Coordinates of all heavy atoms in Angstrom, one line a residue:
A25 N 7.8 -16.0 3.2 CA 6.6 -16.8 3.7 C 5.3 -15.9 3.7 O 5.3 -14.9 4.0 CB 6.9 -17.2 5.1
K26 N 4.2 -16.6 3.3 CA 3.0 -15.9 3.1 C 2.5 -15.3 4.5 O 2.0 -14.1 4.3 CB 1.8 -17.0 2.8 CG 1.8 -17.5 1.3 CD 0.8 -18.4 1.1 CE 0.9 -18.9 -0.4 NZ -0.2 -19.7 -0.8
E27 N 2.7 -15.9 5.6 CA 2.4 -15.2 6.8 C 3.2 -13.9 7.2 O 2.8 -13.1 7.9 CB 2.4 -16.2 8.0 CG 3.8 -16.8 8.3 CD 4.1 -18.0 7.6 OE1 3.4 -18.2 6.4 OE2 5.1 -18.8 7.9
E28 N 4.4 -13.7 6.5 CA 5.1 -12.5 6.7 C 4.8 -11.4 5.7 O 5.0 -10.2 6.0 CB 6.6 -13.0 6.5 CG 7.2 -13.8 7.6 CD 8.7 -14.2 7.4 OE1 9.4 -13.2 7.1 OE2 9.0 -15.3 7.4
I29 N 4.1 -11.7 4.6 CA 3.9 -10.8 3.5 C 2.9 -9.6 3.9 O 3.3 -8.5 3.8 CB 3.5 -11.5 2.2 CG1 4.7 -12.3 1.6 CG2 3.0 -10.4 1.2 CD1 4.3 -13.0 0.4
A30 N 1.7 -10.0 4.4 CA 0.7 -9.1 4.7 C 1.1 -8.1 5.8 O 1.1 -6.8 5.6 CB -0.5 -9.9 5.2
P31 N 1.9 -8.5 6.9 CA 2.2 -7.6 7.9 C 3.3 -6.6 7.4 O 3.2 -5.4 7.8 CB 2.9 -8.5 9.0 CG 2.1 -9.9 8.8 CD 2.0 -9.9 7.4
R32 N 4.2 -7.1 6.5 CA 5.2 -6.2 6.0 C 4.6 -5.2 5.1 O 4.9 -4.0 5.1 CB 6.4 -7.0 5.4 CG 7.5 -6.1 5.2 CD 8.7 -6.8 4.4 NE 9.3 -7.8 5.1 CZ 10.5 -8.2 4.7 NH1 11.1 -7.9 3.6 NH2 11.1 -9.3 5.6
V33 N 3.6 -5.7 4.2 CA 3.0 -4.8 3.2 C 2.3 -3.7 4.0 O 2.4 -2.4 3.6 CB 2.1 -5.6 2.3 CG1 1.3 -4.5 1.5 CG2 2.9 -6.4 1.3
N34 N 1.6 -4.1 5.0 CA 0.7 -3.2 5.7 C 1.7 -2.1 6.5 O 1.4 -1.0 6.8 CB -0.1 -3.8 6.8 CG -1.3 -4.5 6.0 OD1 -1.9 -4.0 5.0 ND2 -1.7 -5.8 6.6
E35 N 2.7 -2.7 7.0 CA 3.9 -1.8 7.7 C 4.2 -0.6 6.8 O 4.3 0.5 7.2 CB 5.0 -2.7 8.1 CG 6.2 -1.8 8.8 CD 7.3 -2.7 9.0 OE1 7.3 -4.0 8.8 OE2 8.4 -2.1 9.3
Y36 N 4.6 -1.0 5.5 CA 5.2 0.1 4.7 C 4.1 0.9 4.1 O 4.3 2.0 3.7 CB 6.1 -0.7 3.5 CG 7.4 -1.1 4.3 CD1 7.6 -2.3 4.7 CD2 8.4 0.0 4.5 CE1 8.8 -2.7 5.4 CE2 9.7 -0.4 5.1 CZ 9.8 -1.7 5.6 OH 10.9 -1.9 6.2
L37 N 2.9 0.4 3.9 CA 1.7 1.2 3.4 C 1.4 2.3 4.5 O 1.2 3.4 4.2 CB 0.6 0.4 3.2 CG 0.5 -0.4 1.8 CD1 -0.7 -1.2 1.6 CD2 0.8 0.6 0.5
D38 N 1.6 1.8 5.7 CA 1.3 2.7 6.8 C 2.4 3.8 6.9 O 2.1 5.0 7.1 CB 1.2 2.0 8.2 CG 0.9 2.9 9.3 OD1 -0.1 3.6 9.4 OD2 1.6 2.9 10.2
L39 N 3.6 3.4 6.6 CA 4.7 4.3 6.6 C 4.6 5.5 5.5 O 5.0 6.6 5.9 CB 6.0 3.5 6.4 CG 7.4 4.4 6.4 CD1 7.7 4.8 7.9 CD2 8.6 3.5 6.0
V40 N 4.1 5.2 4.4 CA 3.9 6.1 3.4 C 2.5 6.8 3.4 O 2.2 7.5 2.4 CB 4.1 5.4 1.9 CG1 5.6 5.0 1.9 CG2 3.1 4.5 1.6
G41 N 1.7 6.5 4.5 CA 0.4 7.2 4.6 C -0.7 6.6 3.7 O -1.6 7.4 3.4
L42 N -0.6 5.3 3.3 CA -1.6 4.7 2.4 C -2.3 3.4 3.0 O -2.7 2.6 2.4 CB -0.9 4.4 1.0 CG -0.5 5.5 0.3 CD1 0.2 5.0 -1.1 CD2 -1.5 6.5 -0.1
A43 N -2.3 3.4 4.3 CA -2.8 2.3 5.0 C -4.2 1.8 4.6 O -4.5 0.7 4.6 CB -2.7 2.4 6.5
K44 N -5.0 2.9 4.3 CA -6.4 2.5 4.1 C -6.8 2.3 2.5 O -7.8 2.3 2.1 CB -7.4 3.7 4.6 CG -7.2 3.9 6.1 CD -8.0 5.0 6.6 CE -8.0 5.0 8.2 NZ -9.0 6.1 8.7
L45 N -5.7 2.5 1.7 CA -5.8 2.3 0.3 C -5.3 1.2 -0.4 O -5.0 1.2 -1.7 CB -5.2 3.7 -0.4 CG -5.7 5.0 0.1 CD1 -5.0 6.1 -0.6 CD2 -7.2 5.1 0.1
G46 N -5.0 0.2 0.4 CA -4.4 -1.1 -0.3 C -5.4 -1.9 -1.2 O -4.9 -2.5 -2.0
H47 N -6.6 -1.5 -1.1 CA -7.6 -2.3 -2.1 C -7.7 -1.5 -3.3 O -8.5 -2.0 -4.3 CB -9.0 -2.3 -1.5 CG -9.6 -0.9 -1.1 ND1 -9.1 -0.1 -0.1 CD2 -10.5 -0.2 -1.7 CE1 -9.9 1.0 -0.1 NE2 -10.7 1.0 -1.1
R48 N -7.3 -0.3 -3.6 CA -7.4 0.5 -4.7 C -6.4 0.0 -5.8 O -5.5 -0.6 -5.6 CB -7.3 2.0 -4.4 CG -8.3 2.6 -3.6 CD -8.3 4.1 -3.6 NE -9.3 4.8 -2.8 CZ -9.4 6.1 -2.8 NH1 -8.6 6.8 -3.4 NH2 -10.3 6.6 -1.9
Y49 N -6.7 0.4 -7.0 CA -5.8 0.2 -8.2 C -5.0 1.6 -8.6 O -5.5 2.7 -8.1 CB -6.7 -0.3 -9.4 CG -7.2 -1.6 -9.2 CD1 -8.4 -1.9 -8.6 CD2 -6.4 -2.8 -9.6 CE1 -8.8 -3.2 -8.4 CE2 -6.9 -4.0 -9.5 CZ -8.1 -4.2 -8.8 OH -8.5 -5.6 -8.7
P50 N -3.9 1.4 -9.2 CA -3.1 2.6 -9.5 C -3.9 3.7 -10.1 O -3.7 4.9 -9.8 CB -2.0 2.2 -10.4 CG -1.7 0.7 -9.9 CD -3.2 0.2 -9.5
K51 N -4.8 3.5 -11.1 CA -5.6 4.4 -11.8 C -6.5 5.2 -10.9 O -7.0 6.2 -11.3 CB -6.5 3.7 -12.9 CG -7.5 2.8 -12.5 CD -8.2 2.2 -13.6 CE -9.3 1.2 -13.2 NZ -10.1 0.6 -14.3
E52 N -6.8 4.7 -9.6 CA -7.6 5.3 -8.8 C -6.9 6.3 -7.9 O -7.4 6.8 -6.9 CB -8.4 4.2 -7.9 CG -9.3 3.5 -8.8 CD -10.0 2.4 -8.0 OE1 -9.3 1.7 -7.3 OE2 -11.2 2.0 -8.3
L53 N -5.5 6.3 -7.9 CA -4.8 7.2 -7.2 C -4.2 8.4 -7.9 O -4.1 8.5 -9.1 CB -3.5 6.4 -6.6 CG -3.8 5.0 -6.0 CD1 -2.4 4.3 -5.7 CD2 -4.6 5.3 -4.7
S54 N -3.9 9.5 -7.1 CA -3.2 10.6 -7.6 C -1.7 10.2 -8.0 O -1.2 9.2 -7.6 CB -3.3 11.8 -6.6 OG -2.6 11.5 -5.5
G55 N -1.1 11.3 -8.6 CA 0.3 11.1 -9.0 C 1.2 10.8 -7.7 O 2.1 10.1 -7.6
G56 N 0.9 11.8 -6.7 CA 1.7 11.6 -5.5 C 1.4 10.3 -4.7 O 2.3 9.8 -4.1
Q57 N 0.2 9.8 -4.8 CA -0.1 8.5 -4.1 C 0.6 7.3 -4.8 O 1.1 6.4 -4.3 CB -1.6 8.2 -4.1 CG -2.3 9.3 -3.0 CD -3.8 9.2 -3.2 OE1 -4.3 9.0 -4.3 NE2 -4.6 9.5 -2.1
Q58 N 0.7 7.4 -6.2 CA 1.3 6.4 -7.0 C 2.8 6.3 -6.6 O 3.4 5.3 -6.6 CB 1.0 6.6 -8.5 CG -0.4 6.4 -8.9 CD -0.5 6.6 -10.4 OE1 0.4 6.1 -11.2 NE2 -1.6 7.3 -10.9
Q59 N 3.3 7.7 -6.4 CA 4.7 7.7 -6.1 C 5.0 7.0 -4.7 O 6.0 6.3 -4.5 CB 5.1 9.1 -6.0 CG 6.6 9.4 -5.6 CD 7.6 8.8 -6.5 OE1 7.9 7.6 -6.6 NE2 8.1 9.6 -7.6
R60 N 4.0 7.2 -3.8 CA 4.1 6.5 -2.5 C 4.2 5.1 -2.6 O 4.8 4.4 -1.8 CB 3.1 7.1 -1.5 CG 3.4 8.5 -1.1 CD 2.3 9.0 0.0 NE 2.6 10.2 0.5 CZ 2.2 11.4 0.1 NH1 1.4 11.5 -1.0 NH2 2.5 12.5 0.8
V61 N 3.3 4.5 -3.4 CA 3.1 3.0 -3.6 C 4.4 2.6 -4.2 O 4.9 1.4 -3.7 CB 2.0 2.6 -4.6 CG1 2.0 1.2 -4.9 CG2 0.7 3.2 -4.1

């Protein structure tokens, strides 16, 4: 459900330490950050 997707994505981005980078594209990330995604 659409209303469940955003909270879950944000939960796991926060878990891997990328909560503030959701708007970026893979090419804008380091290798370690891409691994976290």
Side-chain angles (χ1 to χ4, degrees):
K26 287 185 179 180
E27 60 271 18
E28 294 181 43
I29 291 177
R32 191 183 294 192
V33 170
N34 290 327
E35 174 189 350
Y36 285 96
L37 285 179
D38 184 55
L39 183 66
V40 299
L42 298 176
K44 297 180 179 180
L45 301 182
H47 63 285
R48 292 193 183 181
Y49 289 87
K51 66 181 180 181
E52 300 172 314
L53 305 177
S54 67
Q57 289 171 331
Q58 290 182 42
Q59 180 64 275
R60 286 185 172 91
V61 176

